[in-house]
Amino acid sequence: TTRTPSFLGLEKSADFFPESDAMGDVIVGVLDTGVWPERKSFDDTGFGPIPASWKGQCESGTNFSSAKCNRKLVGARYFSRGYETTLGPIDESEESKSPRDDDGHGTHTASTAAGSIVQGANLLGYASGTARGMANRARVAVYKVCWEGGCFSSDILAAMDKAIDDNVDVLSLSLGGGTSDYYKDSVAIGAFAAMEKGILVSCSAGNGGPGPFSLSNVAPWITTVGAGTLDRDFPAYVSLGNGKNFSGVSLYAGDSLPNKMLPFVYAGNASNVTNGNLCMTGTLIPEKVKGKIVLCDRGINARVQKGSVVKAAGGAGMILANTDANGEELVADAHLLPATAVGQKTGDAIKKYLTSDPNPTATILFGGTKVGVEPSPVVAAFSSRGPNSITPEILKPDIIAPGVNILAGWTGAVGPTGLEEDDRRVEFNIISGTSMSCPHVSGLAALLKGAHPEWSPAAIRSALMTTAYTAYKNGEALLDIATGKPSTPFDHGAGHVDPISAANPGLIYDINADDYLNFICALKYTPSQINTLARRNFTCDSSKKYSVADLNYPSFAVSFPAAGSDGSNTIKYSRTLTNVGPAGTYKVTVSSTSSSVKIIVEPETLSFTRMNEKKSYTVSFTAPSMSSTTNVFGRIEWSDGKHVVSSPVAISQT
Amino acid sequence: AMEIKKTYIIHMAKSQMPATFDDHTHWYDSSLKSVSESAEMLYVYKNVVNGFSARLTAQEAESLESQPGILSVLPELKYELH
């Protein structure tokens, strides 16, 4: 990716992360749509021998030979039996029955996590710079599990099974399904086994935002990643016949519009169908759009397809207006005709002009790439939000990372829009989603693994979470683009990832497999359900009082019973901190958005005299009364003056 | 509708493998064959699941679920890219 390494401070990472030997031993496995191995992001120049521990393979198949792997791309496998038995044999003229990526998504995520350095990267001139993966010295292994018809759980499980055999260190999964109990969810089941082998599993939180309870991949042994913006934008400017100007975003790179105002029409008035405003295929009347700029509403069909529909009908350009569902969030696309996306407010203002002027006119100017945009990051509207619908006591997402307008490697099989009629071929593409933020964290986790090979997956996640930030440099709280207001831990989890601080967290919250089994006992799983998830008999001790609140998680989600119902109004959480830095005395501070919930930490001071020393504390949350709609947020921070070990708190009623 | 085959993930209790089997894959195969002569395994899992995936009718899946040593027979789910 370009820009995100500097946005994350990785340009000064040499002092914090090993440059070659240790990093070269770390292998990131990516379950996705495969890989386009010829991309420079997978160049192995300067890489040493493949680690002796690596047991993976490079499988041959359609358009892909085992010779495509190298010292960078150390493994490439594909899993299609589940897919083929459900949807029929793969048509090899349409998609490659091999690790070859015909889609682009897998090449993008793999290169984001661990792509090599590529100078002169750009998409049609946009976002130019030096591209690199987060862990650019780590190795990559791809496991193709997603096909044109989707990603099937039998294939995902088979890939995770093989990745564990192969000895990956980090697994990156930018995919998800619905929400089901952990023992029914293949990704949660596979991730549990991976965690037991010391593999960190990073998953995308989902693009179901901004509504609450929209998360996927919420098992506590998974690192769940939401998405935020960068300080980079691709502005485009709309000028209307009434002299008013508006801003939007676009990655259009073809011929400019004529240097004059063009006739302008609302798609809904250039169609005979009721949803003509959406610019669905075949719905525009060519005589009514020819030579004009057409305003289409966002929704239902792909954004780039709307542009293609306008172009096919003879339109000269397109303005794509957000509706309620997307608000002011702007996602840039490499449209096939001059086009820009605009926010809902701008869209409404433009529509007002369209309906008030008998002969409306407009034009669009393209502004290229702009950096230094503030405020940034802001939480992306699409990023899925908590509370966690499976276990409300575990706060998810864990963290946010860059996931909007991310440039990374792309397939040679399709153009940047992915449309069949797009015959452009690009080395890099710019796309958005929690699919893009997840591999950022996977790569950063690989960096931490290289710097601290002895750290468990939970320790790595803890370091990433407790050092994440929730305020801009001016002290103002991170914003949520969906509301324009400060975001909450249900939106950003622990905050935005800060890898330099994560390299030296001071203290960590560690969790081992037995701790997770105790957590499962607290969920009151039956022996059969536990065995399904953990692959062994584990008997919960009937004399022991298990509590979900006792899982040593680096964040706090407190769920009080609804007002009027029975239940204690004091809930106690216990935590254990492990020292991974120098000796020191840490003092706690508690902050909260409301005094209605009393938060007491005991003890208030923890002294560590040696490495790996453990100290425990308890937190009591007391709520005299809460209305059913009130959420309270806060932070619990331990500091020795040099390190700040910060945990978000989210308090709600169930 | 009962004849339509779907993919299921079959989770087995490895500790309940009868002593007559010296290899767990033979036990899996025998369990599968006890409900369907024609069903074939898609994958035998080693690390993530004690079990396998196979195409079964709903009736076969139900029948398999009641066999000794079977923990769960879960229908395949489709996941999507984010």
Side-chain angles (χ1 to χ4, degrees), chain A residues 121-478:
Chain A
N122 68 86
L123 167 65
L124 308 170
Y126 286 99
S128 59
T130 298
R132 56 165 280 195
M134 297 304 102
N136 63 298
R137 301 297 303 172
R139 324 275 180 155
V140 187
V142 301
Y143 298 84
K144 183 173 174 179
V145 296
C146 293
W147 306 82
E148 275 184 17
C151 329
F152 288 79
S153 56
S154 60
D155 294 330
I156 292 170
L157 276 171
M160 295 180 91
D161 204 67
K162 198 54 98 173
I164 291 170
D165 265 346
D166 290 348
N167 271 332
V168 301
D169 297 290
V170 174
L171 270 174
S172 188
L173 286 82
S174 289
L175 51 84
T179 44
S180 52
D181 281 317
Y182 307 132
Y183 68 91
K184 290 181 186 169
D185 178 351
S186 291
V187 169
I189 289 169
F192 192 93
M195 170 275 298
E196 287 185 298
K197 300 278 186 182
I199 299 165
L200 182 138
V201 182
S202 164
C203 292
S204 45
N207 302 333
F213 300 101
S214 49
L215 295 161
S216 55
N217 300 319
V218 295
W221 45 91
I222 290 173
T223 300
T224 313
V225 188
T229 63
L230 278 180
D231 65 340
R232 182 175 65 189
D233 218 341
F234 307 102
Y237 307 100
V238 176
S239 293
L240 302 181
N242 61 3
K244 288 190 176 172
N245 298 310
F246 297 95
S247 289
V249 298
S250 180
L251 296 170
Y252 173 71
D255 294 336
S256 300
L257 287 166
N259 193 20
K260 62 177 185 180
M261 301 300 278
L262 294 173
F264 187 24
V265 65
Y266 182 47
N269 296 331
S271 172
N272 283 332
V273 300
T274 49
N275 60 355
N277 60 316
L278 296 174
C279 297
M280 311 275 278
T281 304
T283 60
L284 295 178
I285 301 166
E287 298 77 43
K288 292 192 175 181
V289 302
K290 193 177 178 187
K292 295 179 183 174
I293 291 177
V294 182
L295 187 138
C296 303
D297 283 322
R298 193 167 161 190
I300 309 294
N301 59 334
R303 299 181 303 273
V304 288
Q305 193 185 38
K306 293 171 192 284
S308 179
V309 168
V310 172
K311 190 180 182 191
M318 178 184 72
I319 296 168
L320 178 60
N322 278 0
T323 61
D324 265 348
N326 314 102
E328 298 309 305
E329 179 164 81
L330 297 177
V331 182
D333 294 300
H335 290 283
L336 292 165
L337 85 170
T340 182
V342 296
Q344 186 186 15
K345 285 177 191 164
T346 297
D348 289 347
I350 295 174
K351 282 177 205 169
K352 204 171 171 186
Y353 163 68
L354 270 169
T355 53
S356 64
D357 192 311
N359 295 302
T361 57
T363 192
I364 309 168
L365 287 169
F366 299 94
T369 305
K370 186 181 166 193
V371 294
V373 174
E374 289 187 348
S376 60
V378 295
V379 178
F382 62 74
S383 188
S384 288
R385 315 302 172 98
N388 177 339
S389 57
I390 304 290
T391 319
E393 297 86 352
I394 300 295
L395 180 67
K396 293 281 181 173
D398 290 314
I399 203 158
I400 61 167
V404 179
N405 295 334
I406 304 300
L407 176 138
W410 197 244
T411 175
V414 295
T417 62
L419 296 172
E420 206 170 308
E421 57 269 36
D422 187 354
D423 56 9
R424 299 170 296 178
R425 293 295 178 265
V426 292
E427 177 104 1
F428 294 91
N429 196 10
I430 295 173
I431 53 174
S432 301
T434 53
S435 273
M436 283 66 246
S437 56
C438 165
H440 274 89
V441 168
S442 308
L444 297 175
L447 280 180
L448 289 176
K449 183 76 182 173
H452 303 284
E454 73 285 5
W455 281 8
S456 69
I460 292 171
R461 177 178 57 193
S462 173
L464 291 166
M465 287 174 67
T466 60
T467 57
Y469 62 93
T470 56
Y472 301 110
K473 281 176 187 155
N474 65 7
E476 296 288 320
L478 294 191

Side-chain angles (χ1 to χ4, degrees), chain A residues 504-518:
Chain A
N504 184 18
L507 307 172
I508 51 110
Y509 294 90
D510 207 358
I511 308 175
N512 62 32
D514 282 346
D515 298 327
Y516 287 119
L517 287 167
N518 289 335

Side-chain angles (χ1 to χ4, degrees), chain A residues 573-639:
Chain A
Y573 281 55
S574 65
R575 293 288 187 267
T576 300
L577 282 160
T578 304
N579 183 34
V580 292
T585 297
Y586 285 79
K587 288 183 181 172
V588 74
T589 54
V590 176
S591 58
S592 169
T593 56
S594 167
S595 57
S596 64
V597 178
K598 206 170 174 186
I599 305 171
I600 294 173
V601 179
E602 290 180 312
E604 293 180 335
T605 301
L606 295 173
S607 289
F608 296 88
T609 55
R610 58 182 171 78
M611 190 68 112
N612 295 322
E613 188 177 3
K614 292 179 187 293
K615 298 271 179 172
S616 296
Y617 70 93
T618 61
V619 191
S620 302
F621 299 92
T622 305
S625 63
M626 284 173 74
S627 79
S628 59
T629 54
T630 307
N631 292 328
V632 174
F633 302 104
R635 285 187 91 74
I636 294 172
E637 292 187 344
W638 293 91
S639 180

